[in-house]
Amino acid sequence: MGFNMIDLRNTIVFIVLLGLAELPTSFANEIGSVNTKFKFFGSDKIVIDAFDDPKVTGVTCYVSRAQTGGITGALGVEEDTSDASIACRQIGPIQIKEPLPVKEEVFTERRSIIFKKLQVVRFIDQKRNALIYLTYSDRLIDGSPKNSITAVAPLEGLIIPVKP
Protein backbone atom coordinates (compact mmCIF):
# COMPACT_ATOMS: atom_id res chain seq x y z
CA MET A 1 0.00 0.00 0.00
CA GLY A 2 1.41 3.32 -1.03
CA PHE A 3 0.52 6.96 -0.69
CA ASN A 4 -2.68 7.66 -2.58
CA MET A 5 -3.41 11.29 -3.57
CA ILE A 6 -7.10 10.53 -4.25
CA ASP A 7 -7.58 9.19 -0.71
CA LEU A 8 -5.81 12.25 0.71
CA ARG A 9 -8.01 14.59 -1.34
CA ASN A 10 -11.17 12.73 -0.27
CA THR A 11 -10.11 12.92 3.39
CA ILE A 12 -9.55 16.69 3.13
CA VAL A 13 -12.93 17.20 1.43
CA PHE A 14 -14.60 15.11 4.17
CA ILE A 15 -12.97 17.19 6.93
CA VAL A 16 -14.01 20.47 5.29
CA LEU A 17 -17.59 19.24 4.87
CA LEU A 18 -17.71 18.22 8.52
CA GLY A 19 -16.49 21.69 9.43
CA LEU A 20 -19.24 23.28 7.35
CA ALA A 21 -21.81 21.16 9.17
CA GLU A 22 -20.70 22.86 12.39
CA LEU A 23 -21.57 26.41 11.27
CA PRO A 24 -22.81 28.76 14.01
CA THR A 25 -26.48 28.60 14.94
CA SER A 26 -26.41 32.22 16.08
CA PHE A 27 -24.40 35.20 14.98
CA ALA A 28 -22.47 37.60 17.18
CA ASN A 29 -21.16 41.08 16.54
CA GLU A 30 -17.47 41.61 17.28
CA ILE A 31 -17.03 44.50 19.70
CA GLY A 32 -13.22 44.50 19.74
CA SER A 33 -10.07 42.55 20.48
CA VAL A 34 -6.62 42.78 22.06
CA ASN A 35 -3.45 40.96 20.98
CA THR A 36 -1.92 38.54 23.45
CA LYS A 37 0.91 36.99 21.42
CA PHE A 38 2.57 38.30 18.29
CA LYS A 39 2.75 36.02 15.28
CA PHE A 40 4.10 37.04 11.90
CA PHE A 41 0.82 36.26 10.10
CA GLY A 42 -1.67 37.45 12.72
CA SER A 43 -1.48 37.56 16.49
CA ASP A 44 -3.27 35.45 19.07
CA LYS A 45 -6.12 37.55 20.49
CA ILE A 46 -8.83 37.87 23.04
CA VAL A 47 -11.99 38.78 21.12
CA ILE A 48 -15.15 40.30 22.61
CA ASP A 49 -18.42 39.47 20.85
CA ALA A 50 -21.98 40.55 21.67
CA PHE A 51 -25.18 38.69 20.85
CA ASP A 52 -28.79 39.27 21.79
CA ASP A 53 -30.77 36.45 23.38
CA PRO A 54 -33.01 35.39 20.48
CA LYS A 55 -36.06 34.81 22.71
CA VAL A 56 -35.56 37.46 25.40
CA THR A 57 -35.72 40.99 24.03
CA GLY A 58 -33.67 43.41 26.13
CA VAL A 59 -30.85 41.01 27.12
CA THR A 60 -27.43 41.12 25.45
CA CYS A 61 -24.57 38.75 26.27
CA TYR A 62 -20.91 39.66 25.90
CA VAL A 63 -18.51 36.76 25.43
CA SER A 64 -14.73 37.10 25.51
CA ARG A 65 -12.79 34.24 23.99
CA ALA A 66 -9.32 33.28 22.87
CA GLN A 67 -8.61 33.27 19.14
CA THR A 68 -5.48 31.67 17.69
CA GLY A 69 -3.57 33.67 15.08
CA GLY A 70 -0.92 32.70 12.60
CA ILE A 71 -1.39 30.93 9.30
CA THR A 72 -3.22 27.94 10.79
CA GLY A 73 -5.52 30.27 12.77
CA ALA A 74 -6.33 32.29 9.66
CA LEU A 75 -7.14 29.11 7.73
CA GLY A 76 -9.37 27.86 10.55
CA VAL A 77 -7.43 24.65 11.10
CA GLU A 78 -5.94 25.62 14.47
CA GLU A 79 -8.07 24.73 17.48
CA ASP A 80 -8.77 27.72 19.74
CA THR A 81 -8.44 27.18 23.48
CA SER A 82 -11.49 26.63 25.67
CA ASP A 83 -10.97 29.88 27.57
CA ALA A 84 -14.08 32.08 27.53
CA SER A 85 -15.96 34.45 29.80
CA ILE A 86 -19.53 35.76 29.67
CA ALA A 87 -21.47 38.73 31.02
CA CYS A 88 -25.15 39.17 30.13
CA ARG A 89 -26.93 42.44 30.89
CA GLN A 90 -30.35 43.96 30.62
CA ILE A 91 -29.94 46.66 27.98
CA GLY A 92 -33.61 47.59 27.67
CA PRO A 93 -37.06 46.49 28.76
CA ILE A 94 -37.18 42.69 28.95
CA GLN A 95 -39.89 41.12 26.83
CA ILE A 96 -40.51 37.39 26.58
CA LYS A 97 -43.11 36.52 23.95
CA GLU A 98 -43.57 32.83 24.78
CA PRO A 99 -42.75 30.48 27.65
CA LEU A 100 -39.10 29.42 27.72
CA PRO A 101 -37.67 25.96 28.32
CA VAL A 102 -35.79 25.58 31.62
CA LYS A 103 -32.61 24.86 29.60
CA GLU A 104 -31.92 26.04 26.04
CA GLU A 105 -28.88 26.63 23.83
CA VAL A 106 -28.94 30.27 22.70
CA PHE A 107 -25.58 30.63 20.94
CA THR A 108 -23.03 28.35 19.27
CA GLU A 109 -19.75 29.18 17.56
CA ARG A 110 -17.33 26.83 15.84
CA ARG A 111 -13.88 26.85 17.53
CA SER A 112 -12.01 24.55 15.16
CA ILE A 113 -12.50 23.22 11.65
CA ILE A 114 -14.25 20.16 13.07
CA PHE A 115 -16.01 19.10 16.21
CA LYS A 116 -15.21 21.87 18.76
CA LYS A 117 -17.82 24.49 19.66
CA LEU A 118 -18.21 27.35 22.09
CA GLN A 119 -21.74 27.27 23.47
CA VAL A 120 -23.98 29.48 25.56
CA VAL A 121 -26.89 27.81 27.32
CA ARG A 122 -29.69 29.71 29.09
CA PHE A 123 -31.17 28.22 32.26
CA ILE A 124 -34.12 29.55 34.21
CA ASP A 125 -33.94 29.74 37.99
CA GLN A 126 -37.67 29.67 38.70
CA LYS A 127 -37.31 30.08 42.46
CA ARG A 128 -35.36 33.35 42.07
CA ASN A 129 -36.97 34.44 38.77
CA ALA A 130 -33.61 34.78 37.01
CA LEU A 131 -32.06 33.97 33.66
CA ILE A 132 -28.72 32.15 34.02
CA TYR A 133 -26.28 32.00 31.09
CA LEU A 134 -23.45 29.42 30.99
CA THR A 135 -20.64 29.39 28.42
CA TYR A 136 -18.36 26.39 27.79
CA SER A 137 -16.59 24.51 25.00
CA ASP A 138 -17.18 20.97 23.93
CA ARG A 139 -15.75 18.52 21.46
CA LEU A 140 -17.10 15.35 19.92
CA ILE A 141 -14.91 13.18 22.15
CA ASP A 142 -14.02 15.30 25.18
CA GLY A 143 -14.87 18.79 26.33
CA SER A 144 -13.33 21.16 28.80
CA PRO A 145 -14.46 21.91 32.35
CA LYS A 146 -13.57 25.59 31.77
CA ASN A 147 -16.76 27.61 31.98
CA SER A 148 -18.20 30.97 32.92
CA ILE A 149 -21.62 31.95 34.22
CA THR A 150 -23.71 35.11 34.56
CA ALA A 151 -27.27 35.94 35.59
CA VAL A 152 -29.91 38.51 34.68
CA ALA A 153 -32.82 39.14 37.05
CA PRO A 154 -35.73 41.00 35.47
CA LEU A 155 -37.08 44.01 37.33
CA GLU A 156 -39.98 43.47 39.67
CA GLY A 157 -43.28 42.74 37.99
CA LEU A 158 -41.99 40.47 35.21
CA ILE A 159 -42.26 36.76 35.94
CA ILE A 160 -40.30 34.62 33.49
CA PRO A 161 -42.77 32.32 31.73
CA VAL A 162 -41.55 28.70 31.70
CA LYS A 163 -42.65 25.87 29.42
CA PRO A 164 -44.32 23.08 31.36
Side-chain angles (χ1 to χ4, degrees), residues 13 25 45 90 95 105 126 134 143 146 157 163:
V13 168
T25 58
K45 301 177 184 181
Q90 181 174 344
Q95 297 177 353
E105 183 179 284
Q126 293 178 315
L134 168 71
K146 294 179 181 181
K163 280 186 179 177

mmCIF file with all atom_site columns, all heavy atoms in Angstrom, residues 13 25 45 90 95 105 126 134 143 146 157 163:
data_model
loop_
_atom_site.group_PDB
_atom_site.id
_atom_site.type_symbol
_atom_site.label_atom_id
_atom_site.label_alt_id
_atom_site.label_comp_id
_atom_site.label_asym_id
_atom_site.label_entity_id
_atom_site.label_seq_id
_atom_site.pdbx_PDB_ins_code
_atom_site.Cartn_x
_atom_site.Cartn_y
_atom_site.Cartn_z
_atom_site.occupancy
_atom_site.B_iso_or_equiv
_atom_site.pdbx_formal_charge
_atom_site.auth_seq_id
_atom_site.auth_comp_id
_atom_site.auth_asym_id
_atom_site.auth_atom_id
_atom_site.pdbx_PDB_model_num
ATOM 1  N N   . VAL A 1 13  ? -11.565 16.770 1.770  1.00 0.00 ? 13  VAL A N   1
ATOM 2  C CA  . VAL A 1 13  ? -12.933 17.197 1.434  1.00 0.00 ? 13  VAL A CA  1
ATOM 3  C C   . VAL A 1 13  ? -13.890 16.794 2.551  1.00 0.00 ? 13  VAL A C   1
ATOM 4  O O   . VAL A 1 13  ? -14.747 17.577 2.967  1.00 0.00 ? 13  VAL A O   1
ATOM 5  C CB  . VAL A 1 13  ? -13.370 16.606 0.071  1.00 0.00 ? 13  VAL A CB  1
ATOM 6  C CG1 . VAL A 1 13  ? -14.868 16.783 -0.148 1.00 0.00 ? 13  VAL A CG1 1
ATOM 7  C CG2 . VAL A 1 13  ? -12.585 17.248 -1.048 1.00 0.00 ? 13  VAL A CG2 1
ATOM 8  N N   . THR A 1 25  ? -25.026 28.529 14.976 1.00 0.00 ? 25  THR A N   1
ATOM 9  C CA  . THR A 1 25  ? -26.476 28.595 14.941 1.00 0.00 ? 25  THR A CA  1
ATOM 10 C C   . THR A 1 25  ? -26.946 30.013 15.242 1.00 0.00 ? 25  THR A C   1
ATOM 11 O O   . THR A 1 25  ? -28.097 30.334 15.018 1.00 0.00 ? 25  THR A O   1
ATOM 12 C CB  . THR A 1 25  ? -27.093 27.626 15.956 1.00 0.00 ? 25  THR A CB  1
ATOM 13 O OG1 . THR A 1 25  ? -26.604 27.942 17.259 1.00 0.00 ? 25  THR A OG1 1
ATOM 14 C CG2 . THR A 1 25  ? -26.753 26.194 15.615 1.00 0.00 ? 25  THR A CG2 1
ATOM 15 N N   . LYS A 1 45  ? -5.309  36.448 19.972 1.00 0.00 ? 45  LYS A N   1
ATOM 16 C CA  . LYS A 1 45  ? -6.117  37.547 20.490 1.00 0.00 ? 45  LYS A CA  1
ATOM 17 C C   . LYS A 1 45  ? -7.093  37.079 21.555 1.00 0.00 ? 45  LYS A C   1
ATOM 18 O O   . LYS A 1 45  ? -7.387  35.889 21.655 1.00 0.00 ? 45  LYS A O   1
ATOM 19 C CB  . LYS A 1 45  ? -6.995  38.154 19.381 1.00 0.00 ? 45  LYS A CB  1
ATOM 20 C CG  . LYS A 1 45  ? -6.300  38.701 18.202 1.00 0.00 ? 45  LYS A CG  1
ATOM 21 C CD  . LYS A 1 45  ? -7.350  39.183 17.210 1.00 0.00 ? 45  LYS A CD  1
ATOM 22 C CE  . LYS A 1 45  ? -6.726  39.667 15.930 1.00 0.00 ? 45  LYS A CE  1
ATOM 23 N NZ  . LYS A 1 45  ? -7.743  40.140 14.991 1.00 0.00 ? 45  LYS A NZ  1
ATOM 24 N N   . GLN A 1 90  ? -29.107 43.393 31.113 1.00 0.00 ? 90  GLN A N   1
ATOM 25 C CA  . GLN A 1 90  ? -30.353 43.957 30.624 1.00 0.00 ? 90  GLN A CA  1
ATOM 26 C C   . GLN A 1 90  ? -30.013 45.297 29.992 1.00 0.00 ? 90  GLN A C   1
ATOM 27 O O   . GLN A 1 90  ? -29.495 46.192 30.649 1.00 0.00 ? 90  GLN A O   1
ATOM 28 C CB  . GLN A 1 90  ? -31.341 44.139 31.769 1.00 0.00 ? 90  GLN A CB  1
ATOM 29 C CG  . GLN A 1 90  ? -32.657 44.704 31.307 1.00 0.00 ? 90  GLN A CG  1
ATOM 30 C CD  . GLN A 1 90  ? -33.707 44.758 32.414 1.00 0.00 ? 90  GLN A CD  1
ATOM 31 O OE1 . GLN A 1 90  ? -33.560 44.123 33.448 1.00 0.00 ? 90  GLN A OE1 1
ATOM 32 N NE2 . GLN A 1 90  ? -34.768 45.509 32.161 1.00 0.00 ? 90  GLN A NE2 1
ATOM 33 N N   . GLN A 1 95  ? -38.631 41.635 27.349 1.00 0.00 ? 95  GLN A N   1
ATOM 34 C CA  . GLN A 1 95  ? -39.890 41.117 26.829 1.00 0.00 ? 95  GLN A CA  1
ATOM 35 C C   . GLN A 1 95  ? -39.674 39.662 26.435 1.00 0.00 ? 95  GLN A C   1
ATOM 36 O O   . GLN A 1 95  ? -38.726 39.347 25.717 1.00 0.00 ? 95  GLN A O   1
ATOM 37 C CB  . GLN A 1 95  ? -40.357 41.926 25.625 1.00 0.00 ? 95  GLN A CB  1
ATOM 38 C CG  . GLN A 1 95  ? -40.662 43.374 25.949 1.00 0.00 ? 95  GLN A CG  1
ATOM 39 C CD  . GLN A 1 95  ? -41.063 44.153 24.700 1.00 0.00 ? 95  GLN A CD  1
ATOM 40 O OE1 . GLN A 1 95  ? -40.984 43.648 23.585 1.00 0.00 ? 95  GLN A OE1 1
ATOM 41 N NE2 . GLN A 1 95  ? -41.493 45.379 24.899 1.00 0.00 ? 95  GLN A NE2 1
ATOM 42 N N   . GLU A 1 105 ? -30.063 26.058 24.484 1.00 0.00 ? 105 GLU A N   1
ATOM 43 C CA  . GLU A 1 105 ? -28.883 26.631 23.835 1.00 0.00 ? 105 GLU A CA  1
ATOM 44 C C   . GLU A 1 105 ? -29.305 27.899 23.096 1.00 0.00 ? 105 GLU A C   1
ATOM 45 O O   . GLU A 1 105 ? -30.268 27.888 22.342 1.00 0.00 ? 105 GLU A O   1
ATOM 46 C CB  . GLU A 1 105 ? -28.296 25.625 22.853 1.00 0.00 ? 105 GLU A CB  1
ATOM 47 C CG  . GLU A 1 105 ? -27.037 26.102 22.176 1.00 0.00 ? 105 GLU A CG  1
ATOM 48 C CD  . GLU A 1 105 ? -26.485 25.059 21.230 1.00 0.00 ? 105 GLU A CD  1
ATOM 49 O OE1 . GLU A 1 105 ? -25.886 24.088 21.722 1.00 0.00 ? 105 GLU A OE1 1
ATOM 50 O OE2 . GLU A 1 105 ? -26.663 25.227 20.009 1.00 0.00 ? 105 GLU A OE2 1
ATOM 51 N N   . GLN A 1 126 ? -36.288 29.301 38.419 1.00 0.00 ? 126 GLN A N   1
ATOM 52 C CA  . GLN A 1 126 ? -37.671 29.672 38.700 1.00 0.00 ? 126 GLN A CA  1
ATOM 53 C C   . GLN A 1 126 ? -37.851 30.214 40.116 1.00 0.00 ? 126 GLN A C   1
ATOM 54 O O   . GLN A 1 126 ? -38.608 31.158 40.327 1.00 0.00 ? 126 GLN A O   1
ATOM 55 C CB  . GLN A 1 126 ? -38.597 28.474 38.480 1.00 0.00 ? 126 GLN A CB  1
ATOM 56 C CG  . GLN A 1 126 ? -38.687 28.064 37.027 1.00 0.00 ? 126 GLN A CG  1
ATOM 57 C CD  . GLN A 1 126 ? -39.556 26.842 36.832 1.00 0.00 ? 126 GLN A CD  1
ATOM 58 O OE1 . GLN A 1 126 ? -39.456 25.866 37.575 1.00 0.00 ? 126 GLN A OE1 1
ATOM 59 N NE2 . GLN A 1 126 ? -40.407 26.892 35.820 1.00 0.00 ? 126 GLN A NE2 1
ATOM 60 N N   . LEU A 1 134 ? -24.679 30.186 30.805 1.00 0.00 ? 134 LEU A N   1
ATOM 61 C CA  . LEU A 1 134 ? -23.447 29.422 30.991 1.00 0.00 ? 134 LEU A CA  1
ATOM 62 C C   . LEU A 1 134 ? -22.737 29.321 29.655 1.00 0.00 ? 134 LEU A C   1
ATOM 63 O O   . LEU A 1 134 ? -23.362 28.986 28.646 1.00 0.00 ? 134 LEU A O   1
ATOM 64 C CB  . LEU A 1 134 ? -23.787 28.012 31.493 1.00 0.00 ? 134 LEU A CB  1
ATOM 65 C CG  . LEU A 1 134 ? -22.659 26.975 31.475 1.00 0.00 ? 134 LEU A CG  1
ATOM 66 C CD1 . LEU A 1 134 ? -21.632 27.300 32.556 1.00 0.00 ? 134 LEU A CD1 1
ATOM 67 C CD2 . LEU A 1 134 ? -23.227 25.576 31.656 1.00 0.00 ? 134 LEU A CD2 1
ATOM 68 N N   . GLY A 1 143 ? -14.725 17.350 26.204 1.00 0.00 ? 143 GLY A N   1
ATOM 69 C CA  . GLY A 1 143 ? -14.873 18.794 26.327 1.00 0.00 ? 143 GLY A CA  1
ATOM 70 C C   . GLY A 1 143 ? -13.924 19.325 27.377 1.00 0.00 ? 143 GLY A C   1
ATOM 71 O O   . GLY A 1 143 ? -12.993 18.654 27.811 1.00 0.00 ? 143 GLY A O   1
ATOM 72 N N   . LYS A 1 146 ? -13.635 24.130 31.677 1.00 0.00 ? 146 LYS A N   1
ATOM 73 C CA  . LYS A 1 146 ? -13.573 25.585 31.774 1.00 0.00 ? 146 LYS A CA  1
ATOM 74 C C   . LYS A 1 146 ? -14.934 26.155 31.393 1.00 0.00 ? 146 LYS A C   1
ATOM 75 O O   . LYS A 1 146 ? -15.504 25.794 30.375 1.00 0.00 ? 146 LYS A O   1
ATOM 76 C CB  . LYS A 1 146 ? -12.490 26.147 30.864 1.00 0.00 ? 146 LYS A CB  1
ATOM 77 C CG  . LYS A 1 146 ? -11.098 25.736 31.278 1.00 0.00 ? 146 LYS A CG  1
ATOM 78 C CD  . LYS A 1 146 ? -10.074 26.311 30.332 1.00 0.00 ? 146 LYS A CD  1
ATOM 79 C CE  . LYS A 1 146 ? -8.679  25.877 30.742 1.00 0.00 ? 146 LYS A CE  1
ATOM 80 N NZ  . LYS A 1 146 ? -7.665  26.437 29.847 1.00 0.00 ? 146 LYS A NZ  1
ATOM 81 N N   . GLY A 1 157 ? -42.075 42.679 38.809 1.00 0.00 ? 157 GLY A N   1
ATOM 82 C CA  . GLY A 1 157 ? -43.280 42.737 37.993 1.00 0.00 ? 157 GLY A CA  1
ATOM 83 C C   . GLY A 1 157 ? -43.248 41.796 36.807 1.00 0.00 ? 157 GLY A C   1
ATOM 84 O O   . GLY A 1 157 ? -44.290 41.429 36.289 1.00 0.00 ? 157 GLY A O   1
ATOM 85 N N   . LYS A 1 163 ? -41.909 26.960 30.056 1.00 0.00 ? 163 LYS A N   1
ATOM 86 C CA  . LYS A 1 163 ? -42.645 25.871 29.417 1.00 0.00 ? 163 LYS A CA  1
ATOM 87 C C   . LYS A 1 163 ? -42.866 24.758 30.433 1.00 0.00 ? 163 LYS A C   1
ATOM 88 O O   . LYS A 1 163 ? -41.943 24.411 31.178 1.00 0.00 ? 163 LYS A O   1
ATOM 89 C CB  . LYS A 1 163 ? -41.852 25.310 28.229 1.00 0.00 ? 163 LYS A CB  1
ATOM 90 C CG  . LYS A 1 163 ? -41.964 26.111 26.990 1.00 0.00 ? 163 LYS A CG  1
ATOM 91 C CD  . LYS A 1 163 ? -41.276 25.388 25.838 1.00 0.00 ? 163 LYS A CD  1
ATOM 92 C CE  . LYS A 1 163 ? -41.414 26.194 24.562 1.00 0.00 ? 163 LYS A CE  1
ATOM 93 N NZ  . LYS A 1 163 ? -40.708 25.558 23.450 1.00 0.00 ? 163 LYS A NZ  1
#
